[in-house]
Amino acid sequence: MAAAPDGARPREKEKTMRVLVSSAGTRGDVQPVLALALEVRRLGHDARLCVPPNFVEWVAGHGFDAVPMGVEMRRPAPGQPPAPVPDLITDQFDTLAAAVKGCDAVLGANAHQYAARSVAERAGLPYVTAVYAPVALPSPELAPPPSPGETWEPGRPGDNERRWAATTAAWNARALERVNHNRARLGLAEIGDVLRHNVTDRPWLAADATLGPAPAGLDVVQTGAWLLRDPAPLPAELAAFLDAGDPPVYVGFGSMPLPPDTSRAVVEAARANGRRVVLARGWADLAPVDDGPDCVSVGDVNQQALFARVAVAVHHGGAGTTVAAARAGVPQVVVPMFSDQFYWASRVVALGVGTSASLAGLHAGTLNAALHEALLPGVEATAGATAWDVTTDGATAAARLLVAAVSG
């Protein structure tokens, strides 16, 4: 080894850390943690990701150690009975307990990480829970996400506290016994509140502060949204369609189920507003209703590139889609169906960057009115101005915090 200048001792190479990241859900849940892992690696460190089996190949293709955990989140096959669901809590404990070996910190993405904190506790490692929406954090300021089939209203402080108490009881009834059974297997003490144990006393909020500010009165680290940069070009057929006319309406609902006549309703509504349509097929298989040249359907494409070229984005209100549209400065029509989607719809309306429509009774007439409102010049101007306030470095900020948690 060469001598150090001025006789100083040679500087030892900084130890590379590895973070274990646990994620469950659909692509919208996994994509942000992949963005985080890429930033961790850019800082000279490494990550191991535990993800649903159908995302293992995608994550591994970016050069990470990818471990299957839980069940595949795929569109149900027509006419096929649902596959048996294993004990997902025990599966998380077993998978993460094996995957944590050689890691220096653990991060659980979303509140449904039943094992990650316990595994980190058993290993003596720093741990953090990150959520993607303020409504996931128990707070008097916001009501909890609704149960499937229910809608959501922000509520009032007293009422919100009652609703969070009911939500906490439901989480405990569903999971507390199994969590404590598995904690006992690790030699850990029982807990009394699954939800607050999972969320922790100081969670991270991986959401943009303009779109989704942290609830007041909570000790929350708001990093900004974790955006996966996508350099992929748009497919040639789509690019040609965009070049052939005025900016179209984008319609996409991701992994959400939809009534069978949704394609016709959105196409008719767009035509009533004099707009062409890009249909993102998604799990509902949205498709053109005729051979008209004013409509095209696409699979998974680069939303960042596409949204920059559309007049309005009609979508389900997923956290990732909402921030992508806001960042592009495009007006939005949000049709929420599940969980935090109602919260994001309320924020789009509150910020004046779009409107929302209810899935119940959704038809060409209601969509026509929603599109007309979203296409007003004032909404377009507000969406364009708001885009400048949307931060893009949330994953970088979170990666730096992780490294500091280990090295500090």
Side-chain angles (χ1 to χ4, degrees):
M1 181 180 294
D6 302 323
R9 293 183 60 187
R11 184 177 181 180
E12 294 183 3
K13 183 178 179 180
E14 183 179 352
K15 178 183 180 292
T16 299
M17 64 161 269
R18 172 180 285 174
V19 58
L20 176 64
V21 180
S22 177
S23 180
T26 61
R27 184 181 177 113
D29 297 286
V30 178
Q31 185 164 303
V33 298
L34 179 56
L36 173 69
L38 287 167
E39 289 301 312
V40 167
R41 187 166 66 192
R42 192 179 65 82
L43 294 175
H45 302 282
D46 194 15
R48 174 179 294 148
L49 284 75
C50 294
V51 296
N54 51 311
F55 295 114
V56 166
E57 183 178 354
W58 179 45
V59 171
H62 285 80
F64 294 106
D65 184 8
V67 180
M69 183 178 72
V71 294
E72 295 192 355
M73 301 295 290
R74 296 184 186 273
R75 177 173 55 189
Q80 294 293 321
V85 178
D87 180 350
L88 298 179
I89 292 177
T90 298
D91 179 72
Q92 284 188 15
F93 271 89
D94 291 344
T95 302
L96 294 173
V100 78
K101 294 178 176 63
C103 294
D104 303 286
V106 181
L107 182 142
N110 78 38
H112 292 279
Q113 295 299 322
Y114 297 95
R117 183 178 180 183
S118 298
V119 168
E121 181 183 344
R122 179 67 179 82
L125 300 178
Y127 175 74
V128 64
T129 291
V131 299
Y132 301 143
V135 74
L137 302 173
S139 162
E141 187 174 306
L142 295 171
S147 300
E150 297 181 354
T151 58
W152 179 87
E153 296 292 339
R156 300 179 303 276
D159 187 47
N160 288 344
E161 291 171 348
R162 177 188 60 79
R163 292 161 73 179
W164 274 112
T167 297
T168 296
W171 276 65
N172 286 338
R174 182 174 62 243
L176 183 59
E177 183 178 351
R178 283 181 291 159
V179 169
N180 279 331
H181 169 74
N182 282 284
R183 281 179 60 84
R185 292 170 57 206
L186 297 180
L188 301 174
E190 289 188 353
I191 61 169
D193 186 328
V194 172
L195 177 58
R196 281 162 177 77
H197 173 81
N198 290 5
V199 170
T200 76
D201 294 330
R202 197 167 192 258
W204 290 3
L205 178 55
D208 180 76
T210 296
L211 298 177
L218 299 183
D219 189 6
V220 178
V221 178
Q222 185 152 22
T223 64
W226 300 350
L227 304 177
L228 180 65
R229 290 170 175 79
D230 191 347
L234 295 174
E237 179 184 1
L238 176 57
F241 177 83
L242 295 169
D243 291 339
D246 292 334
V249 171
Y250 165 88
V251 181
F253 298 99
S255 59
M256 295 293 105
L258 294 167
D261 59 347
T262 301
S263 292
R264 181 169 298 279
V266 296
V267 170
E268 290 180 2
R271 286 172 173 170
N273 282 273
R275 295 286 177 171
R276 304 180 302 149
V277 192
V278 174
L279 294 173
R281 286 188 286 271
W283 284 15
D285 263 338
L286 296 181
V289 296
D290 53 39
D291 295 329
D294 60 346
C295 184
V296 65
S297 64
V298 298
D300 289 333
V301 298
N302 182 346
Q303 277 190 341
Q304 296 165 20
L306 177 56
F307 283 0
R309 301 194 60 182
V310 303
V312 60
V314 181
H315 61 90
H316 57 300
T321 306
T322 303
V323 72
R327 181 185 174 201
V330 60
Q332 306 180 49
V333 174
V334 182
V335 185
M337 305 172 213
F338 178 71
S339 191
D340 62 332
Q341 296 168 9
F342 294 93
Y343 168 78
W344 294 117
S346 75
R347 291 299 299 159
V348 165
V349 172
L351 290 168
V353 299
T355 187
S356 67
S358 171
L359 181 65
L362 190 69
H363 53 77
T366 56
L367 276 170
N368 179 12
L371 282 174
H372 178 75
E373 182 177 347
L375 288 165
L376 292 173
V379 176
E380 182 180 12
T382 301
T386 302
W388 291 97
D389 297 325
V390 178
T391 59
T392 60
D393 62 347
T396 301
R400 288 173 176 161
L401 287 170
L402 274 176
V403 172
V406 174
S407 61

